[in-house]
Amino acid sequence: MKNLELTWLGHSTFLLDTPGGKRVLIDPWVMGNPACPDAYKSLDKLDLMLITHGHFDHIGDAVELARRTEAQVVAIFETYLWLAGKGVKTGMGMNKGGKVPVQGIQVRMVDARHSCGIQDGDQVIYGGEACGFVLTLEDGLKVYHAGDTALFGDMQLIGERYAPDIALLPIGDLYTMDPSDAARAVELIGARRVVPMHHSTFEGLPGKPADFVAAVGGKAEVTVLQPGQTQAFAPAVAAAR
Ligand code: NI
Ligand code: MN
């Protein structure tokens, strides 16, 4: 198997080319995402799409991309129902605490502390709750995408129970953790490799990667990606953790 290739498309949107040859998109905000490079705005092959919550900057292009790619879409129950009502025919709703194999990848839905209303025209629809995901890829590598979240103590439990190798954490402040809280999250989760997200996309997100790197202070390896940049990750070595 090849190594995971993780590409940041800006904000909380990540494209994973998995060791088993699948393409996974987390938080499909691509066409409308000002940070997403043009080369990725015409994605036409996706196997799986994961949605952490119903805010536009996470779900914005879900319906269009599901139609175009027929990817399996996984979201929390109420958000999936909304997507189904918009014509999404592939995928499933689930809820926190559960796990399910999809396309050969184990998808576990975990807690996040955030809201989840879906803006639909001039209405706000109840979308369930915001979540995170811990994915176990085909080579055993475990990737935690925290979604939008505040710092919360049960991140320690996520670390203890699911032992993610890589954590993708929001650092932008205002809507999520700031760099200092995100660095505390790194300690709670115990992940050795972390990638900051939900920063620098638009005005009003003061948390920056340099502050996060400084706050982590060498306790984990921080990979700061630019939008469109890809990083490969080798399979986890169990003894190293
Ligand atoms: Ni949000
Ligand atoms: Mn957001």
Side-chain angles (χ1 to χ4, degrees), residues 11 52-58 114-117 130 147-149 175-176 198:
H11 210 55
T52 63
H53 64 292
H55 292 159
F56 75 94
D57 55 325
H58 301 260
H114 194 70
S115 61
C116 190
D148 280 3
T149 187
Y175 303 108
T176 69
H198 213 277

Side-chain angles (χ1 to χ4, degrees), residues 7-15 24-44 46 49-50 55-66 68-69 201 227:
T7 305
W8 188 45
L9 301 189
H11 210 55
S12 296
T13 306
F14 287 86
L15 184 64
V24 181
L25 188 68
I26 308 178
D27 279 353
W29 191 43
V30 174
M31 286 84 88
N33 180 348
C36 180
D38 286 344
Y40 291 97
K41 296 207 180 210
S42 52
L43 288 173
D44 55 8
L46 290 174
M49 253 196 292
L50 303 173
H55 292 159
F56 75 94
D57 55 325
H58 301 260
I59 203 176
D61 294 317
V63 172
E64 170 63 23
L65 285 172
R68 194 193 292 170
T69 67
T201 318

Side-chain angles (χ1 to χ4, degrees), residues 65-148:
L65 285 172
R67 185 181 301 135
R68 194 193 292 170
T69 67
E70 296 182 343
Q72 298 291 314
V73 180
V74 177
I76 206 160
F77 184 74
E78 290 82 359
T79 291
Y80 186 80
L81 285 182
W82 181 85
L83 289 166
K86 295 294 177 186
V88 172
K89 295 183 175 65
T90 47
M92 61 187 297
M94 65 182 296
N95 221 314
K96 297 181 206 180
K99 63 182 187 304
V100 65
V102 193
Q103 300 277 344
I105 293 158
Q106 189 198 77
V107 178
R108 183 185 290 277
M109 185 175 279
V110 297
D111 200 11
R113 300 293 168 84
H114 194 70
S115 61
C116 190
I118 305 169
Q119 219 176 317
D120 190 341
D122 59 359
Q123 290 196 300
V124 178
I125 310 289
Y126 177 71
E129 292 188 1
C131 72
F133 290 101
V134 179
L135 308 182
T136 307
L137 303 180
E138 302 93 333
D139 64 351
L141 193 70
K142 288 184 273 188
V143 181
Y144 170 38
H145 186 297
D148 280 3

